[in-house]
Amino acid sequence: KIPEENYIILIDGLNEAEFHKPDYGDTIATFISKIISRFPPWVKLIVTIRTNFQEVTSSLPFFKISLDDFLENKEIYGDLNAYARYRITCSQEIMNNISLSGKAESSVIGKVSDHLIMKSQGSYLYLKLTLDLFEKGHLVIKSASYKVVPVSLSELYLLQCNMKFITNSAFERVLPILNLALASLHPMTDEQIFQAINAGYVTGEQDWKDFQLRM
């Protein structure tokens, strides 16, 4: 028997299931709408969805919080600010790369935090990945200008790809693997990816050792 403690079920990216909904039967959203009334009070459901797919949750009796309103919502802005400041103050590496003196000056922390929050548009993923780059030394602020800081998640991903794949040939070596990972609806093992790639070759096949190097 499950103890009657507080439990949280998190469903991240509910809108993504809409791209693969069945021709008949329930989608995840409609299934939840049918069973939500049977949930005991000690089980809570948290669902995330993109703003332009909000109609998917129209049948769900949920309280809604929009991260798009982070500038007007003091609680959301406060959470973003608390996360950014915590990461900065707890990492000397980040401090070294955002401050010319390398010291935890409140004015510097405040300016950098505010800049990152504005660019994040409410996205914790943007904050995390950007601060990770500062921590690893891939981003360094050398003046009062923040031009080195990515302005969006898309630019952040592009920067990471450019650091990972320095040349076109390096990217082309792993392109078949990336294509499979993006096309698959389920996570694949190395063996499954290897077999799928070789299945597409008309002549010859990729060597297992070479494949492991590409992975």
Side-chain angles (χ1 to χ4, degrees):
K1 183 180 179 180
I2 300 177
E4 294 187 9
E5 301 174 356
N6 289 327
Y7 290 91
I8 294 177
I9 299 175
L10 171 63
I11 301 177
D12 186 28
L14 182 63
N15 53 281
E16 295 182 10
E18 295 299 304
F19 291 112
H20 310 294
K21 61 184 179 182
D23 294 330
Y24 57 90
D26 289 317
T27 62
I28 295 179
T30 57
F31 175 71
I32 292 174
S33 65
K34 289 181 179 179
I35 66 171
I36 191 66
S37 60
R38 303 178 187 176
F39 274 37
W42 40 270
V43 175
K44 308 298 182 183
L45 196 62
I46 297 177
V47 176
T48 69
I49 192 167
R50 290 189 178 276
T51 304
N52 54 328
F53 284 91
Q54 287 187 75
E55 69 277 1
V56 175
T57 61
S58 59
S59 61
L60 300 175
F62 292 162
F63 176 78
K64 297 180 181 179
I65 299 175
S66 175
L67 294 181
D68 293 338
D69 302 328
F70 74 100
L71 288 177
E72 291 76 21
N73 191 314
K74 293 182 179 179
E75 286 78 13
I76 295 176
Y77 187 90
D79 288 344
L80 293 165
N81 188 46
Y83 173 76
R85 285 175 175 268
Y86 175 80
R87 285 290 307 276
I88 294 172
T89 55
C90 290
S91 173
Q92 185 59 49
E93 288 77 13
I94 294 179
M95 282 303 309
N96 291 339
N97 292 323
I98 67 170
S99 173
L100 296 179
S101 65
K103 297 179 180 179
E105 300 173 2
S106 58
S107 60
V108 173
I109 296 175
K111 288 180 181 179
V112 173
S113 296
D114 288 343
H115 182 81
L116 294 181
I117 290 170
M118 292 300 297
K119 296 302 180 184
S120 75
Q121 294 295 302
S123 171
Y124 283 90
L125 179 60
Y126 172 91
L127 286 181
K128 179 187 182 304
L129 295 179
T130 304
L131 289 168
D132 285 348
L133 290 177
F134 276 117
E135 194 165 35
K136 295 175 181 176
H138 296 308
L139 288 179
V140 179
I141 296 177
K142 297 182 179 180
S143 66
S145 172
Y146 296 146
K147 292 182 179 180
V148 298
V149 180
V151 299
S152 64
L153 267 177
S154 297
E155 188 171 310
L156 187 59
Y157 291 145
L158 179 60
L159 175 61
Q160 290 182 320
C161 283
N162 288 335
M163 290 190 301
K164 187 70 174 178
F165 309 110
I166 301 176
T167 64
N168 286 336
S169 60
F171 176 72
E172 290 171 357
R173 279 177 58 81
V174 299
L175 185 58
I177 297 174
L178 295 176
N179 287 338
L180 274 173
L182 291 172
S184 176
L185 299 181
H186 306 283
M188 300 176 69
T189 65
D190 290 0
E191 179 65 28
Q192 288 173 330
I193 296 175
F194 177 70
Q195 292 178 354
I197 289 176
N198 277 331
Y201 287 141
V202 178
T203 58
E205 63 179 25
Q206 189 177 97
D207 180 71
W208 173 251
K209 290 184 178 180
D210 180 51
F211 169 77
Q212 288 181 310
L213 289 174
R214 300 185 187 209
M215 289 292 287

